[in-house]
Amino acid sequence: MKQWVTLMDGIDGFHIQEVPEPVDLKEDEVLVRINAVAVNHRDVKIINGDFKGRYAAPASPMVPTSDASGTIVKVGGPVSATKWQEGDRVLGLVRPTHLTGPTRSEHHALGLGFPQSGVLVEYRVFSASGLVQIPHKLSFEEAATLPIAATTAWMALNWNRPIDKPVRGPQTTVLLQGTGGVTIHALQQATAFGLTTIVTSSSDEKLLKAQELGATYTVNYKKIPDWADEVLKLTQGKGADIIVETGGPETMPQSVRAVAEGGIISAVGVLTGMTEDKPQPAVGLSLINRNAALKGINIGPRDRVEEMMRLYEQKEIHPIIDRVFGFDEARDAITYVKEGSHFGKVVIRVNED
Ligand SMILES: NC(=O)c1ccc[n+]([C@@H]2O[C@H](COP(=O)([O-])OP(=O)(O)OC[C@H]3O[C@@H](n4cnc5c(N)ncnc54)[C@H](OP(=O)(O)O)[C@@H]3O)[C@@H](O)[C@H]2O)c1
């Protein structure tokens, strides 16, 4: 079978290789024929060498990417041990041991795509507890976009809500930054809850697409660099109750200005650089003045993934896929996401259904 590998040292070193299909399974493991893999911003950074110096590079070529969907083709033990059978349609959890509660270092240590081997491969062994059933109405491509981007969006909107009591209603305003994978999932979820949404983007064309998906307001952050003022204007001075902060150091100071009193900034991304490299002392005092919360989001556990998937099923949400690349085109898919012209998710088709 074929798999893509990287030494985390640049796109030129990202290559395809032939390896034997896995044969031996433990009782609690299953073999999955991978149908689709979704690309995340993190994969782009890993493959392009942006993690160099920050994390140890793998000693030997590693399979990158974390989000996959596929079909179970073999089970290691009886159904009582695995809870799965051949033919089940499943998606893989990025951190197979993260079943509930906050993300801890032991969950990270077993993360697929880094530091553990990832999913850009034709067949892969998964632990039975690291899989979730795909809702009937979702295609493999759509399902592959859920584990990181949709779960992160879900946690950014709902981290402080008990399961099954998610945030609802137009009185809640959510600010969503950019139009990448996390943001567009968050827009679809927030729209399904009937929340008021404000989406920012560098592109008017993408903002039009966001409106078609239900965005209440849109702001071009290139044309309006002081977009926090615009958010305050749109909310009659109140600000956004929840901010899905994907930008990081360059956007955080404005997010702090744009958050409502008592609101929440869900710190998700570092699209404008690693936050630790650019300390922002002003953020602390402004947060105090606004009595707002800053919460780091770190994907989410299995029980919250299942909770989120119920919403996708009930409301028939279909994740937005900008483009699907073939397995042999994985390098183009990574470059495409790096260039940032996508809207929503980019997917690689591994095996046909
Ligand atoms: N904490 C977590 O658990 C977690 C999970 C997933 C992702 N992340 C992080 O979240 C971020 C987004 O991930 P993603 O997968 O959604 O990325 P993505 O799909 O690659 O999204 C990139 C988009 O971000 C927008 N963007 C870039 N600079 C921006 C800025 N200054 N202000 C506002 N928007 C900006 C651009 O949208 P426009 O073209 O519309 O301007 C760009 O197309 C990344 O930093 C990623 O590493 C964190």
Side-chain angles (χ1 to χ4, degrees), residues 272-295:
T272 62
M274 293 292 190
T275 313
E276 299 85 345
D277 299 343
K278 301 179 188 176
Q280 297 156 17
V283 166
L285 190 55
S286 307
L287 273 182
I288 294 169
N289 288 340
R290 297 187 79 72
N291 195 195
L294 175 61
K295 169 72 176 175

Side-chain angles (χ1 to χ4, degrees), residues 40-41 148 152 177-182 200-202 206 221 246 251 268-272 297-299 337 340 342 344:
N40 285 290
H41 201 80
I148 288 191
T152 303
Q177 297 175 346
T179 57
V182 174
T200 71
S201 173
S202 57
K206 291 182 177 184
Y221 64 81
T246 49
T251 51
V268 166
V270 285
L271 286 165
T272 62
I297 300 297
N298 202 326
I299 317 182
V337 174
H342 61 288

